[in-house]
Amino acid sequence: MANALNTITVDGVTYDAAAYAKTQNTNATAKNELGKDAFLQLLVAQLQYQDPLEPQDNSDFVAEMAQFTSVEQLSNMAENMKNMESLITNIDTSVLVGQLSGMIGKSVDWSQAVSEYDEQGNLFNSTKDYTGVITGVTVADGTTKVIATTNKGEIHEIEIGDITNVYDLEQTVEKLSGGAATGEV
């Protein structure tokens, strides 16, 4: 509910005080940054208002131009570093997805945290072991996961760190026929 305590009027327009304060903080932050355009404006103003009877020394002017060039190069370098970071992240993800795609059709064992209820109805966390076949790879929110299906038809998205073993399908048959399967298949 808008009232005199939580609103502000600027140039005849009434704003929510909290929202207006946020926009002012954002604008102030942007104005406080001294970028290459601001530096160039300062240099032009200095030249415009210098005393014509005692002009600025050429060596001082050259030094300021060198500083301007340095600021511009540093700004460009910072932007290029951001672009390079993004490129490297994309390459890393692509390589990981390619490697994991090569595991499609292989058997996988993994441990996954689950929440369960005991006989008294109390909720507790435990770790459950699973075995399944890798059927795909997914990337969501920057996280790469393997998709696996158990022989019960349950589909799981598995974080890479939860995988305990990857092997060929023949080894799965041997493992199951030898009675070594302890997890859910």
Side-chain angles (χ1 to χ4, degrees):
M1 172 182 257
N3 61 43
L5 297 176
N6 64 3
T7 60
I8 187 168
T9 303
V10 177
D11 296 328
V13 179
T14 302
Y15 300 97
D16 176 65
Y20 183 78
K22 285 181 185 178
T23 62
Q24 293 307 302
N25 288 339
T26 303
N27 292 341
T29 302
K31 289 179 184 177
N32 286 336
E33 294 179 8
L34 183 60
K36 59 185 178 182
D37 291 336
F39 189 83
L40 187 58
Q41 287 175 350
L42 286 171
L43 185 62
V44 169
Q46 182 181 3
L47 289 173
Q48 184 179 4
Y49 295 109
Q50 71 178 337
D51 184 359
L53 300 176
E54 293 181 25
Q56 182 178 10
D57 184 30
N58 285 341
S59 60
D60 291 340
F61 181 72
V62 170
E64 287 183 25
M65 288 304 291
Q67 288 175 342
F68 172 71
T69 303
S70 296
V71 167
E72 183 176 23
Q73 288 175 350
L74 286 172
S75 175
N76 292 340
M77 190 183 314
E79 184 66 31
N80 288 338
M81 293 295 280
K82 286 180 188 176
N83 293 340
M84 188 176 296
E85 177 186 10
S86 175
L87 178 66
I88 289 171
T89 300
N90 289 340
I91 289 172
D92 287 347
T93 301
S94 297
V95 168
L96 181 60
V97 168
Q99 290 173 340
L100 293 174
S101 295
M103 295 185 335
I104 293 176
K106 294 190 181 264
S107 295
V108 62
D109 295 334
W110 73 95
S111 297
Q112 204 164 24
V114 294
S115 296
E116 299 178 308
Y117 290 96
D118 61 13
E119 294 82 30
Q120 290 80 26
N122 298 320
L123 182 66
F124 69 96
N125 296 324
S126 66
T127 303
K128 196 169 189 179
D129 295 326
Y130 295 92
T131 297
V133 175
I134 297 174
T135 56
V137 177
T138 184
V139 178
D141 297 325
T143 303
T144 306
K145 295 181 180 180
V146 171
I147 300 171
T149 305
T150 65
N151 71 346
K152 292 181 179 180
E154 297 171 334
I155 298 173
H156 295 263
E157 286 188 9
I158 309 164
E159 292 191 23
I160 306 304
D162 293 341
I163 296 175
T164 56
N165 196 9
V166 176
Y167 42 91
D168 291 325
L169 197 53
E170 297 87 35
Q171 291 175 322
T172 304
V173 174
E174 291 173 17
K175 179 180 174 184
L176 294 176
S177 64
T182 58
E184 184 176 315
V185 181

